[in-house]
Structure formats: C-alpha cells, structure tokens
Amino acid sequence: MPGLLNIFPKDVLDQNQNKVHDSNTLLPKLKVKETVDKNSYFPDTPPSSASEESLQFLKRPVVLEEMGQLCTSVRFQDTKSEGRPSIYLFIFVNPLSGDCKGADLLQLAIQHFRLRRFPQVQVEIHNILDKADRNLGLERIKTVEAMAKSGQLPSIDENKEDEHPISATVRARHIHVWSCGGDGTVMSLFEMLVEYHIDLDYMFFSCIPFGTGNDFSQVLGWGRTIPQKDILGKRLQNLESLITERLQKSEAARLDVWEVEMTACEGGYVRLAGPQRKDGHDVLEIDERLQQGDYPSVTRKMCNYMSIGVQGYVGSGFEKHRAGNRFVNMMVYTCESAKWVFWRRFPAVTNFIEKIIFNGETVLECPGPEDKTTNNSNAPIMTKHPIDFVIQNIPHIWGREVDLWGDATSGLEVVNQRKGHTDPENWTPQLANDGKLEIMTIQNMTSYIKKLANIRQHVSRVGQFETPFEIMFRKPQVLRSKSWWNGLLENRYKRENTICIMCDGEFYIIKDPKTLKFRRFAQVWTLGRHDEKVKGRLVQDEEVSHQQRFE
C-alpha cells in the first residue's frame, strides 16, 4: 500500500494467492515467564501492569478477522535491530459522528501501520464503538505505558538526519491518544482512559474533528472540520498530511477536566435526552449498565462548558432527530431553536436554582420569580431571572470561538452585594487551565436571539468559581402550583419541575433536580496548533499561565 511502511515479514504473504494469513498463527501469545534474548526490548520480568492478560494485543480481535483486515501491531519480543517505533499514536474513531467520515478509517485493510515519512511513529486505529476493538487499544496503551516507565522503549530524541523532523513537543511523550469524532466522543474516550487507570502524565491528547460543533478541536486550533472532504485521499495522502501537520506543528497545553455529579431528589431521575441508541456521542454508552432507564445520579467528565436551560431545552428536542450528517444536524438544531423563539417560552432558571455553595458557604443566592420575601442575607444575590446559566471552562461555545467572558461589557447589575467569587476585583483572565469555571447568564429571549446572531456582548457575568462548588435546586414541592387551572397555564417544564442540561455536546433531562456538584478532576496535556498561521487558544492560555508563574 503506497504511503505505508511495510513492517511485517515477507513470509506473511502467500505468494500463490497474494493473501495475508491469519495473524493468530503468525503472532502467538507471549509467555511472560519465557526466557528471551538479552537484546530483546521485552524484559525478563515485565512490570506488574504488563501482565499476561494485558498482552492479548498480539491476538487480532474478532472484528478484524471478520473484516479481513491485517493486524500489524509491533511485537515487544522483537529486537532493537528490527526498527522498533518510539512514539505510539492511538486513534479512537467514532464512525457515526457528524458525516460518518470516520468509517473510512475503519475500512482500511491495515489498521496498525507506520507512515514512510515517520517510521518511528506507530499508528493504531481503533473503533470506539466496538467493545473488543476499543479494549484492545486501551490494553495496548497500558502495555506501552508500562514499557515507557521501565525504560524499555527506544529514545525519542531528535535525529538531525530526518527529512521530516517531529516537533520537540511531540517527542516529549511516547504515547499520543487522539479522539476522532465530536465533542461527545472526546469525553467518552477520556472516561475510558480513566476507567483503565492510564497515567495521563505519560500521554498527549488531541483530536480529529468529525462531529457537529467540535468546540474542543477549534479551541486547540485544528478547526471545525478537516481540510479535505475525504479523510484518506489518493494513496492516503490526506491522512498522511493530517498526521504530519499535528506531529510537526503542535505545542503542549494543559486543559482542566472537571467531574460533574448530577443528582435528582427522591422520586426524580437523571436521563439522557432523546431515544436510546448506540451512536457513540453519549458518555453513558461506555457503561453497559447505563444504556437504558432513569437514574437518581449520574457522574461524568466535562472539559468544554455546560448550559443549564436554553441550550439544554433546544438540544433535548434536537436529540430526537439527530442524523448521520453534519449539515442536516445543523439544520435540525436551527429548526429546534426556531420553535422556542416563535412558539415556546423558556422558563427562568431561578424557578429551579436556589443557590450556589462553595466549601459549605452560600456564595450566591437566587430568589425565584415569585419569591416576595425580603432577603436579609449578606451573601451575593441574583436580581434578575435569566433563562440560561452558562458554565464555561474554555472560551468556545455553540460551535464558534466566542469569548463570552472576555467580550461581555455590561450585566454586572444581575448580582447585588457582590463579593468573593462574584466580585470583579477578584476575577482573573479566563484560562482553561486555572482551576476556575466562569458562570454567565442569558437574560431573556432577546439575548438568546443575539446569541444566535453571534453578538457577544449580550451575556451577564455572574462570577468566577473555584471548585469544589455545587448548585443547589429548590425542593420539588415549592414549585407545585396550588391551583389546577394555574398549573395548566404554567410552562410545562416548570410545572413538571424538569430542567434540561447540555454538557459537552450531550443533553440530559433531570426530573426534580437536587444538586450539580463540580470539582476539578485532572489536568490533561493536549497538543494544540502553533505555527505561523494559527495559534490555538489553549496554547495561548498556556503561554499566559507560564508568564503569570514568573511575575
């Protein structure tokens, strides 16, 4: 295959039939206790994490056998002289994201290969929706991690004789993991890495945008879509160019990853919006126990932003009609937005949210629209009744680079008695690696229409919050109408005490919500674009935080 480095033995090919034999007969399972050559990269006593069970990567998954694809994974019993790679690039593909472009990658006859341009880089493609294949990839990462920690991998120092040098940043890690899909796929993959106890400090994380909004890819500087319509191209030129760009034009940048716990009151539930399906965009699809039904509590990771209200309601309708085409999805979302603009009305989020608590102390109170009592508290207090709470980690939202926090020029009047987290004197420039989340509000339908028109000055800044903090909701009985007739006139979501939430491209319905708890879970090193044309926002944030440390 042109563009690829043939790394499997010549006797693999049947000269008469020109076919590849079953790799299971060529790559037998390793015996951990077997004595190996002293020059082998596979140690006599492998690290505990590189157990015999974790070495099943040598066996081709059933799905590859059925598809007639080649398994050309590197064998760790090979000797140093056999051209062992020093960088391992794992690409996890969601074949159903956006326009389903990822399916082309999974249809390649060879799923594990090295490009001729970079023979020191081993590329492995895995289907994130296929349990056997994704587990194979995760086990491979664990094994490579164990080898890296024990010093059993070749050096990744720069070779001045290389015609196509790799950037110094890329050479700082042996393991690279890329998500190939949308924003939901990004966090699905991260959840899997955490579930497998993979050391995040030993890897770089990046992505190939195949979804609808692709906020994560855009904030890294890689754009909303790939440059070419065909991910492969003639003789794999497009794929080779895409990988080359990321290996040569990347800079490291930290990204905060948050853990969000959504909890409902007794008798309530947390549910994924839309029909139950396995299309890979929902984090809950990782856990087979959470495929169907309602749950009192759901915990997930977040790296982009959350919307409580507007985008949750619109997105819940969108989920019912999500298609396998990016353009169609954008049209469906526009139609759902139009329904709310012309025929429906968003309920104020202060009908549901009661207060925000940090370390057991109330840092913001949110009286309801019908609350007539006098508040004698000294805590900051909301004076308006917005239709949306936006909780932002990255300065990117709605599929566009919108710096809501930085561009907002008014709206401080939405909170009285400002202090602590809500006091502008205590605010710092928004960064995606500072351990803080920014909360803003969209006040009314006029603000929402401005949002659709990409007018950025319409939001109101509430505060900048360190974690852990939690949003407390009102008790269900407070919202129940005393009059049957008045109940019919109320907004359906308010009447049923149901709130809708969007979190990193996924949509949830919470009946009788109780709390939303936020805490910073980890920081992951990402690879953002940095060249003469583009400098990704996360790369810019990393430069700012570096300057702050030395001031």
Side-chain angles (χ1 to χ4, degrees):
M1 181 175 293
L4 299 179
L5 177 64
N6 186 359
I7 63 173
F8 36 89
K10 294 181 179 179
D11 57 358
V12 174
L13 297 177
D14 188 319
Q15 300 298 330
N16 297 324
Q17 300 183 23
N18 195 29
K19 293 182 179 179
V20 177
H21 291 299
D22 183 356
S23 66
N24 293 333
T25 62
L26 297 168
L27 303 178
K29 180 179 177 182
L30 279 180
K31 296 180 180 180
V32 176
K33 295 183 180 180
E34 183 179 12
T35 303
V36 295
D37 183 83
K38 64 181 180 179
N39 292 324
S40 171
Y41 269 107
F42 196 86
D44 293 338
T45 307
S48 58
S49 57
S51 62
E52 184 173 356
E53 181 180 356
S54 70
L55 297 176
Q56 292 292 339
F57 64 86
L58 292 176
K59 184 176 181 180
R60 183 196 298 177
V62 176
V63 64
L64 294 184
E65 292 180 354
E66 294 175 349
M67 296 173 63
Q69 294 172 326
L70 306 183
C71 180
T72 58
S73 296
V74 172
R75 300 183 300 175
F76 283 117
Q77 76 270 37
D78 290 346
T79 62
K80 296 180 182 180
S81 62
E82 295 185 44
R84 297 274 311 287
S86 56
I87 296 177
Y88 294 79
L89 169 57
F90 297 89
I91 302 177
F92 288 84
V93 180
N94 182 348
L96 299 182
S97 285
D99 293 330
C100 303
K101 295 179 180 178
D104 294 339
L105 287 174
L106 298 177
Q107 291 171 3
L108 280 173
I110 300 178
Q111 296 289 287
H112 303 171
F113 55 85
R114 283 184 255 176
L115 299 174
R116 289 187 182 277
R117 189 175 296 184
F118 302 107
Q120 70 274 48
V121 179
Q122 169 80 0
V123 180
E124 300 197 6
I125 300 174
H126 296 278
N127 186 347
I128 199 171
L129 299 187
D130 182 271
K131 183 177 180 180
D133 197 14
R134 71 171 180 248
N135 287 345
L136 173 85
L138 294 167
E139 290 290 352
R140 289 275 301 165
I141 294 176
K142 285 290 293 182
T143 303
V144 175
E145 176 191 312
M147 301 296 287
K149 289 182 175 180
S150 60
Q152 299 299 315
L153 294 180
S155 170
I156 52 179
D157 293 336
E158 180 181 12
N159 185 350
K160 296 182 179 180
E161 298 180 357
D162 288 343
E163 182 180 355
H164 304 283
I166 297 176
S167 74
T169 296
V170 170
R171 289 185 280 105
R173 297 284 190 278
H174 287 285
I175 302 172
H176 295 248
V177 180
W178 294 2
S179 166
C180 190
D183 289 323
T185 306
V186 170
M187 279 296 96
S188 292
L189 178 54
F190 185 83
E191 294 272 10
M192 295 175 189
L193 296 173
V194 172
E195 181 183 0
Y196 265 73
H197 305 289
I198 291 171
D199 193 337
L200 302 179
D201 290 332
Y202 271 76
M203 54 163 277
F204 279 130
F205 195 85
S206 192
C207 69
I208 301 174
F210 280 166
T212 303
N214 300 312
D215 289 298
F216 181 67
S217 174
Q218 293 185 74
V219 83
L220 284 176
W222 301 121
R224 189 170 187 173
T225 61
I226 58 174
Q228 299 85 10
K229 185 177 181 180
D230 179 10
I231 179 65
L232 300 179
K234 185 178 180 180
R235 300 166 64 93
L236 298 183
Q237 290 179 351
N238 292 351
L239 178 59
E240 187 175 38
S241 296
L242 186 146
I243 295 176
T244 298
E245 181 180 55
R246 282 160 171 74
L247 293 180
Q248 293 185 329
K249 300 179 180 180
S250 293
E251 189 57 63
R254 291 168 299 160
L255 174 69
D256 290 333
V257 177
W258 307 86
E259 184 175 81
V260 182
E261 181 181 355
M262 299 174 276
T263 305
C265 295
E266 184 177 357
Y269 58 77
V270 182
R271 168 194 299 174
L272 276 170
Q276 298 290 339
R277 58 198 174 199
K278 297 190 70 174
D279 58 5
H281 74 278
D282 296 317
V283 167
L284 290 185
E285 292 175 357
I286 306 169
D287 194 332
E288 295 179 351
R289 297 169 300 174
L290 300 178
Q291 290 295 321
Q292 303 286 338
D294 306 326
Y295 305 92
S297 179
V298 168
T299 301
R300 59 150 296 156
K301 306 299 184 296
M302 179 187 85
C303 69
N304 294 349
Y305 66 96
M306 173 183 285
S307 169
I308 305 174
V310 167
Q311 197 162 353
Y313 293 121
V314 174
S316 296
F318 161 75
E319 282 298 319
K320 299 177 182 178
H321 310 287
R322 182 189 282 263
N325 181 280
R326 181 175 177 271
F327 178 76
V328 173
N329 282 337
M330 293 174 66
M331 292 299 99
V332 170
Y333 196 88
T334 300
C335 291
E336 288 297 325
S337 297
K339 290 179 183 179
W340 284 93
V341 171
F342 296 109
W343 292 290
R344 302 173 182 173
R345 290 293 180 267
F346 296 110
V349 293
T350 49
N351 283 309
F352 309 95
I353 297 176
E354 181 180 18
K355 57 186 175 181
I356 298 179
I357 293 178
F358 174 75
N359 284 341
E361 178 184 353
T362 299
V363 293
L364 180 67
E365 294 192 357
C366 305
E370 301 172 1
D371 192 349
K372 306 299 182 181
T373 60
T374 302
N375 192 311
N376 296 320
S377 172
N378 292 325
I381 182 170
M382 289 283 296
T383 61
K384 304 291 183 180
H385 303 288
I387 59 175
D388 194 51
F389 260 45
V390 178
I391 304 171
Q392 198 175 32
N393 181 45
I394 64 173
H396 212 285
I397 193 169
W398 308 314
R400 292 167 291 187
E401 187 171 350
V402 180
D403 188 358
L404 292 180
W405 184 262
D407 290 345
T409 56
S410 61
L412 295 180
E413 69 279 359
V414 298
V415 177
N416 274 346
Q417 303 175 179
R418 287 182 176 268
K419 62 180 180 180
H421 297 88
T422 60
D423 186 353
E425 295 294 327
N426 297 326
W427 296 346
T428 57
Q430 182 184 26
L431 300 175
N433 58 17
D434 60 359
K436 300 176 183 177
L437 290 171
E438 287 73 28
I439 297 183
M440 296 152 280
T441 62
I442 296 177
Q443 292 303 311
N444 48 42
M445 188 63 72
T446 301
S447 294
Y448 178 63
I449 295 174
K450 289 181 178 180
K451 166 264 195 189
L452 295 176
N454 201 19
I455 300 176
R456 307 182 180 189
Q457 291 79 25
H458 65 282
V459 301
S460 301
R461 291 175 290 182
V462 173
Q464 194 175 54
F465 294 83
E466 297 176 280
T467 63
F469 72 88
E470 58 184 305
I471 297 176
M472 303 288 295
F473 293 89
R474 304 184 191 283
K475 295 181 180 180
Q477 61 268 25
V478 175
L479 296 174
R480 305 272 162 77
S481 297
K482 296 180 180 180
S483 167
W484 176 82
W485 175 251
N486 290 337
L488 289 178
L489 297 179
E490 281 186 322
N491 179 281
R492 177 171 68 89
Y493 290 95
K494 177 184 175 183
R495 183 175 68 249
E496 298 175 357
N497 194 28
T498 301
I499 190 77
C500 293
I501 293 174
M502 192 287 301
C503 185
D504 280 9
E506 300 173 11
F507 302 90
Y508 300 87
I509 299 172
I510 306 181
K511 167 70 173 173
D512 293 340
K514 183 179 180 180
T515 62
L516 287 175
K517 297 181 179 179
F518 298 83
R519 75 176 183 93
R520 186 166 70 168
F521 178 81
Q523 277 193 332
V524 61
W525 281 98
T526 66
L527 287 179
R529 183 171 179 176
H530 187 192
D531 58 20
E532 63 279 359
K533 295 181 179 179
V534 178
K535 181 187 292 187
R537 176 57 194 259
L538 291 191
V539 176
Q540 298 177 42
D541 285 359
E542 186 63 31
E543 291 178 351
V544 171
S545 62
H546 181 76
Q547 293 173 0
Q548 291 177 346
R549 287 196 297 269
F550 290 94
E551 288 181 354

